[in-house]
Amino acid sequence: MPSPSSPIIQEFLQHLWLERGLSKNTREAYQRDILLFSNWLKEQENDLVDASEDDLRAFLGWRFEQKYHPRSTARQISSLRAFYRHMLQNHQILTDITANIEMPRQGKALPKTLSEDDVNALLNSPDTDTTIGQRDRTMLELLYACGLRISELVNLNLDNINLRQGVIRVTGKGSKERLVPMGQEAIDWLASYLKQARSELLNNYESRTLFPGRYGRPMTRQTFWHRIKHYNTIAGIKSDVSPHVLRHAFATHLLNHGADLRVVQLLLGHSDLSTTQIYTHIANHRLTELHKEHHPRG
């Protein structure tokens, strides 16, 4: 039965990397979706190669009974569709069992974001009299100032930083590079961090990593997510804050202050403008709420 090391799954993941340039995180998401179906098939004494359209429909029915969200199911179908089309093209199967499967209906969910006051409260939460606090404050400032993904932030090294020009070079999805301005506040925090706190964190270890964890190695995404959760509690913010919520706040606040949508697209590293357009819905929603709150006939 297929497993994470199954040749047909690994060959597909290799294809996603070599032919489509998808990131490790995206490839892992594909793998999880395929393995979930594979494990379900195993319980039915079946496998990925011999599965039929009826098997897939039964699996989707099981997901519905388990109360999986329609958006999650849509992503699962998308992953399986790419997988089975690839196998069909490689003559590993005779028919594509996903060909007649429709995507579940789903509303357009708006990304969670934060108000500017909440962002300020979060940024002010770390105790900057400590080395760890200085590092965390600098990471939060960069995350918000540049709209970075968490993986982009933790993988930064000294070669990515240009304090004189005030920009960082970011490697995003598909290994695509972009230059992002930092803004004076983030530059000041970064300069202060590099002056003292970073060397104290390294503790004589050699590393080019900008924000080192233990033994000079890059901090993991999970570690920094827990740091944000900690500061979220200190700041007293009612909604859950994740690194991606700060990225959403970055885009939304730019649009609220009059930034052009295509500029925001470039800063976020989106290859398609339609991906960025979701933030216009957030900005319009905010304007509607402000109108209701402050207009005499709202």
Side-chain angles (χ1 to χ4, degrees), residues 72-88:
S72 169
T73 297
R75 192 203 65 223
Q76 175 101 49
I77 294 172
S78 180
S79 297
L80 291 174
R81 185 163 287 160
F83 175 66
Y84 277 102
R85 283 178 179 174
H86 176 72
M87 285 210 297
L88 185 66

Side-chain angles (χ1 to χ4, degrees), residues 136-185:
D136 292 351
R137 174 66 185 261
T138 306
M139 293 181 77
L140 288 170
E141 289 282 354
L142 274 182
L143 198 64
Y144 175 61
C146 303
L148 302 180
R149 300 178 179 93
I150 181 60
S151 57
E152 295 170 345
L153 178 71
V154 297
N155 288 318
L156 287 174
N157 59 50
L158 295 177
D159 300 325
N160 299 129
I161 304 298
N162 189 321
L163 282 176
R164 185 172 58 83
Q165 294 184 358
V167 297
I168 57 173
R169 189 177 74 252
V170 182
T171 302
K173 288 186 175 181
S175 300
K176 294 178 181 176
E177 290 191 350
R178 66 186 190 279
L179 288 176
V180 184
M182 290 184 279
Q184 195 57 52
E185 191 79 16

Side-chain angles (χ1 to χ4, degrees), residues 146-147 149 176 178-180 247 250-251 254-255 259-277 279:
C146 303
R149 300 178 179 93
K176 294 178 181 176
R178 66 186 190 279
L179 288 176
V180 184
R247 178 170 159 87
F250 161 84
L254 279 174
L255 289 169
D260 182 80
L261 188 64
R262 291 194 178 275
V263 172
V264 178
Q265 176 194 1
L266 291 172
L267 294 174
L268 289 172
H270 287 163
S271 56
D272 191 338
L273 184 63
S274 63
T275 309
T276 317
Q277 283 174 333
Y279 296 106

Side-chain angles (χ1 to χ4, degrees), residues 118-137:
D118 281 344
V119 170
N120 286 329
L122 184 69
L123 296 181
N124 288 322
S125 295
D127 179 3
T128 53
D129 290 332
T130 68
T131 302
I132 295 294
Q134 248 193 311
R135 179 200 65 189
D136 292 351
R137 174 66 185 261

Side-chain angles (χ1 to χ4, degrees), residues 171-219:
T171 302
K173 288 186 175 181
S175 300
K176 294 178 181 176
E177 290 191 350
R178 66 186 190 279
L179 288 176
V180 184
M182 290 184 279
Q184 195 57 52
E185 191 79 16
I187 291 172
D188 291 344
W189 278 104
L190 185 56
S192 176
Y193 163 77
L194 290 173
K195 190 174 182 180
Q196 182 178 1
R198 183 177 177 274
S199 59
E200 292 178 0
L201 287 167
L202 282 173
N203 194 24
N204 296 322
Y205 284 98
E206 291 291 329
S207 175
R208 300 293 293 171
T209 298
L210 182 60
F211 299 112
R214 296 184 66 186
Y215 311 119
R217 291 194 293 261
M219 186 188 299

